[in-house]
Amino acid sequence: MLKYITLSVLAAASLNSGADEPAVVTADLQQRHILGDTSELDRSKFFNVHSGYAGAALTPDDLEQLKQLNVGFGRAFDGPFSAHKSGPPYPDTETIKAKAEEVIAAACDHPLYPYRTTRRIMTNSVDDGFHMEADPKEMARFAADVIEFHYEDDTRPDFYSPLAIPFVAAGKYGEDQAEVRARMAAVFAEVGKEIDRRGLSTQVLGYTSAWPMMHYWDFKHWQDRMQMFMDVAGPHIDAMCFLLLDATHMQQPDNRRSGSRAEALLDLVETYGAIQWGEPKPFAFSEYGDVSHGWPHGTTYTPARSSAELNSYNHFLFQLLAREDRVLIAVPFLTTKSPWYYNQPRNERQPYSADLWRPDPESFVDGKPTRFLETEKMEFYRLWRDVRGHRAVTQSTDPDVVAYTFVDGAETFICLNNFEDGPREVILDVPGTLPAAAAITVKRLYVPKQQAVIYTRKKADALPTSLTLEAHETVIFHVTHAEAVAPSTTVKTRTHYSHDFLQPIGADQPVAIRITGVETDGLTAATLRLGLAREHDLSKQPKLVVNGRDIPFPDDWIGGDQAHRKQGFFGAIAIPVPADTIAQDNEITLTFPDDGGRVSTAVLEVTGKVANDQ
């Protein structure tokens, strides 16, 4: 009979969790975990493809394959301005209504219409959608007309981002880029107002921040872009939208946003939203992953080149899963087929680097491919295809080894991801008396530097007590039990934000932080996450005091040290705090030995027992 082999070593490992000690991951399958108001994994939030169901060159067989992989649709550039790119004057409402029947009939006649879905992001490029001379209210009226009258309820997209990554293009529309950005923000605000006024189901996202560098110029980048946008458009939109992309290099040290930097970016937006509106807006991620560069043959397809971004999809996914209760949708930057790219003579029939399918160069007839082959990127969806269920309490003693567990009746999934640049030893502890394991499948996805992905799927007789995670590797243990695994207890994690942010740091001058309104009944664990922006040579280990109690400050955090990034370190560092230290109203001080930089945010996550029926 197959069974679990378990160890009860968490307490000892927690006291000695240095780099030379194995990381200890404890997956308590019998403790259900609620994050905010969410426990069940909503796959439609994370496992999507960067395309609509009617994407160019897609076939029913392609969509059936995606369906078998449990993959949804994420984002398409088919917004209202696609049919009217010339700017003002915009067609009036009666003209749009008059075309509605024809437009809807054409959509129904599309051969892929049976695969339609509302759960996707509709957007337009800045070039198609933005005109500096246009009245934002008139643009909003036109966009809302198209969304209301040119869709039926079972095709109207759930999400609309009026302009994709607009601020990076601000220089095209005038010398005063601040004025252009303000005008763009006004467009989002007016669209949000108009969609709400009509009571349409579509939710408005913005502004799709690309390559966010919020701490640049002592946070002037933040003030002039995201903070301005939140002030102007934030009250009228439904979610704050980002692109989260690494920038790995084939031959140089990796330059990643995944890890502590992504945590700091998102914490800053959430904290400011909580200060402004009482609670933060949820997030939408219209792209997450990587844009790898530095390859000697450019974007020419090779198995190694196609594999390069796979690590980043997993890194960002593991981070976003920690905020599932505050995510509306997240789309890995995985495209389907790209005729716009491989049909260009200079690209010599090569696929776009993010594509799941590539044209077989030997199959072209009259300039068109007749056969497509999978790229290595499909392995991301194969890895995650079966994962489902409610969260179970999962802990790791190393911030670079991130772990989640999901339970679906008799099926359990233990998911591990290594953020380190090198191998990491892991002790796996699965406590409790559990139903016998009838079958175990181990999936592993590992991408050696400059090489093709190694994806394996193997059977096992038992869960290991220890394993080695290779650099940036992801491992998923899928266990089928003889009977359902029932939770015996339930815990809930709540997130609280400080009243203070972007506080300057002075040598030996305590930085005071307040976090209030914390429910303390039944607390079992607490984590304080502090955002720091400092030059590389300045200390990142302040003296930390929480409610009069000294708290050890770690010298490790999720992801790399950012040493290769310009403008210094900007990251959020998680610090375990004893649960009995936390009060309803919390006074926190940080004292650094040197001048410079800022404490950007303080976020407190507290976990406590609740009734099983919640």
Side-chain angles (χ1 to χ4, degrees):
M1 178 181 293
L2 300 178
K3 57 186 174 61
Y4 277 110
I5 303 172
T6 63
L7 294 174
S8 297
V9 295
L10 179 60
S14 297
L15 297 176
N16 298 284
S17 55
D20 295 332
E21 296 289 332
V24 180
V25 171
T26 302
D28 191 339
L29 306 185
Q30 294 172 309
Q31 277 206 82
R32 179 168 167 257
H33 185 201
I34 302 173
L35 182 64
D37 58 0
T38 299
S39 180
E40 198 77 14
L41 173 63
D42 184 348
R43 290 187 56 91
S44 71
K45 288 187 176 185
F46 303 105
F47 302 105
N48 302 297
V49 68
H50 194 277
S51 172
Y53 68 88
L58 288 176
T59 67
D61 286 345
D62 299 332
L63 299 191
E64 283 297 324
Q65 181 176 356
L66 293 177
K67 185 177 179 180
Q68 290 298 314
L69 291 169
N70 296 319
V71 175
F73 298 100
R75 184 188 190 210
F77 285 78
D78 59 350
F81 298 106
S82 298
H84 186 86
K85 303 177 183 180
S86 58
Y90 295 97
D92 61 28
T93 300
E94 292 306 313
T95 299
I96 293 171
K97 284 183 177 180
K99 292 183 178 180
E101 184 175 350
E102 175 187 349
V103 171
I104 291 172
C108 293
D109 288 341
H110 195 285
L112 300 180
Y113 181 74
Y115 296 92
R116 67 192 179 279
T117 178
T118 64
R119 190 161 178 79
R120 64 182 184 87
I121 301 170
M122 172 176 61
T123 192
N124 280 117
S125 68
V126 182
D127 289 343
D128 288 351
F130 183 71
H131 298 271
M132 191 66 180
E133 73 278 12
D135 179 358
K137 291 185 178 181
E138 180 64 3
M139 292 178 68
R141 190 274 310 163
F142 168 74
D145 279 350
V146 173
I147 293 171
E148 180 175 5
F149 301 118
H150 285 189
Y151 293 90
E152 296 181 306
D153 290 344
D154 64 346
T155 59
R156 183 174 295 111
D158 288 349
F159 309 110
Y160 174 42
S161 177
L163 303 170
I165 55 173
F167 288 3
V168 296
K172 295 182 179 180
Y173 300 97
E175 294 184 3
D176 187 345
Q177 292 192 32
E179 181 183 8
V180 176
R181 291 193 295 267
R183 188 74 164 185
M184 291 172 168
V187 172
F188 283 85
E190 294 302 328
V191 169
K193 290 178 189 177
E194 187 64 16
I195 295 289
D196 286 346
R197 186 186 70 79
R198 300 186 188 205
L200 298 177
S201 60
T202 299
Q203 298 184 75
V204 179
L205 318 175
Y207 65 92
T208 317
S209 174
W211 312 108
M213 301 175 289
M214 295 178 184
H215 70 298
Y216 272 35
W217 320 309
D218 193 24
F219 286 92
K220 193 172 188 304
H221 187 286
W222 150 263
Q223 294 165 351
D224 291 350
R225 290 164 176 80
M226 182 59 77
Q227 183 176 347
M228 178 277 294
F229 179 83
M230 293 175 73
D231 290 342
V232 173
H236 311 294
I237 66 172
D238 299 288
M240 309 306 301
C241 192
F242 274 90
L243 273 59
L244 284 181
L245 298 170
D246 282 334
T248 60
H249 196 284
M250 186 265 193
Q251 303 175 61
Q252 298 176 7
D254 286 342
N255 198 8
R256 297 182 182 273
R257 286 180 179 81
S258 56
S260 64
R261 178 161 293 205
E263 297 295 321
L265 292 167
L266 302 182
D267 281 351
L268 181 54
V269 174
E270 285 189 357
T271 297
Y272 189 67
I275 291 171
Q276 291 296 94
W277 310 312
E279 63 180 10
K281 300 272 183 176
F283 286 114
F285 301 93
S286 55
E287 296 176 14
Y288 71 84
D290 188 12
V291 179
S292 182
H293 58 292
W295 291 80
H297 302 294
T299 57
T300 298
Y301 169 80
T302 66
R305 174 66 189 86
S306 180
S307 302
E309 290 90 359
L310 286 167
N311 288 333
S312 294
Y313 300 132
N314 281 316
H315 285 336
F316 281 120
L317 173 60
F318 271 79
Q319 292 192 258
L320 298 183
L321 284 169
R323 301 175 191 255
E324 182 177 359
D325 59 322
R326 287 105 74 196
V327 173
L328 291 185
I329 188 170
V331 184
F333 188 48
L334 288 162
T335 51
T336 51
K337 298 175 180 176
S338 299
W340 62 270
Y341 187 86
Y342 62 67
N343 281 335
Q344 293 185 34
R346 62 186 176 88
N347 292 328
E348 299 179 335
R349 301 177 176 177
Q350 294 294 313
Y352 183 55
S353 61
D355 279 351
L356 294 172
W357 289 280
R358 60 187 179 93
D360 183 348
E362 305 300 321
S363 74
F364 277 72
V365 176
D366 297 329
K368 294 183 178 180
T370 60
R371 182 170 59 252
F372 285 82
L373 307 172
E374 286 185 11
T375 71
E376 284 66 20
K377 287 186 166 60
M378 196 71 78
E379 308 295 20
F380 173 75
Y381 294 123
R382 287 201 178 92
L383 175 73
W384 288 96
R385 179 187 62 188
D386 301 314
V387 178
R388 60 192 183 277
H390 70 256
R391 291 171 181 257
V393 171
T394 312
Q395 298 172 320
S396 171
T397 59
D398 184 344
D400 284 312
V401 177
V402 184
Y404 297 99
T405 303
F406 300 96
V407 179
D408 182 41
E411 308 290 322
T412 60
F413 305 87
I414 301 173
C415 312
L416 310 175
N417 184 230
N418 180 18
F419 277 73
E420 290 275 13
D421 289 333
R424 192 72 174 93
E425 298 300 314
V426 177
I427 293 172
L428 182 60
D429 180 20
V430 185
T433 302
L434 298 164
I440 299 175
T441 301
V442 184
K443 292 183 178 182
R444 306 187 73 139
L445 189 149
Y446 168 50
V447 184
K449 186 81 170 179
Q450 303 179 6
Q451 297 180 42
V453 60
I454 301 172
Y455 171 70
T456 60
R457 182 180 183 274
K458 297 180 179 180
K459 300 293 183 181
D461 293 332
L463 280 179
T465 59
S466 63
L467 69 150
T468 300
L469 288 177
E470 298 295 343
H472 305 287
E473 184 181 21
T474 302
V475 175
I476 297 177
F477 296 100
H478 177 187
V479 183
T480 301
H481 301 261
E483 57 187 74
V485 178
S488 58
T489 59
T490 300
V491 300
K492 186 171 187 176
T493 297
R494 299 178 176 89
T495 305
H496 301 270
Y497 304 92
S498 64
H499 300 271
D500 320 281
F501 76 118
L502 296 186
Q503 297 191 82
I505 297 171
D508 301 319
Q509 301 297 313
V511 177
I513 297 167
R514 298 167 298 136
I515 299 179
T516 62
V518 179
E519 295 182 26
T520 59
D521 291 344
L523 286 191
T524 58
T527 299
L528 179 65
R529 196 165 57 244
L530 294 169
L532 304 179
R534 311 209 78 192
E535 293 297 332
H536 291 301
D537 60 346
L538 297 180
S539 171
K540 300 168 194 69
Q541 281 192 279
K543 178 182 179 182
L544 171 63
V545 179
V546 178
N547 296 328
R549 183 173 178 177
D550 289 348
I551 303 297
F553 204 94
D555 60 0
D556 193 15
W557 49 82
I558 184 172
D561 60 9
Q562 304 186 25
H564 300 284
R565 297 201 67 90
K566 299 177 181 178
Q567 300 268 333
F569 175 87
F570 179 42
I573 300 174
I575 306 104
V577 178
D580 61 4
T581 305
I582 303 302
Q584 180 177 349
D585 298 325
N586 298 272
E587 299 292 337
I588 301 163
T589 59
L590 289 168
T591 306
F592 292 82
D594 41 19
D595 283 304
R598 294 181 183 269
V599 178
S600 56
T601 53
V603 177
L604 179 64
E605 294 182 338
V606 294
T607 300
K609 291 184 178 181
V610 296
N612 278 339
D613 58 356
Q614 286 201 20

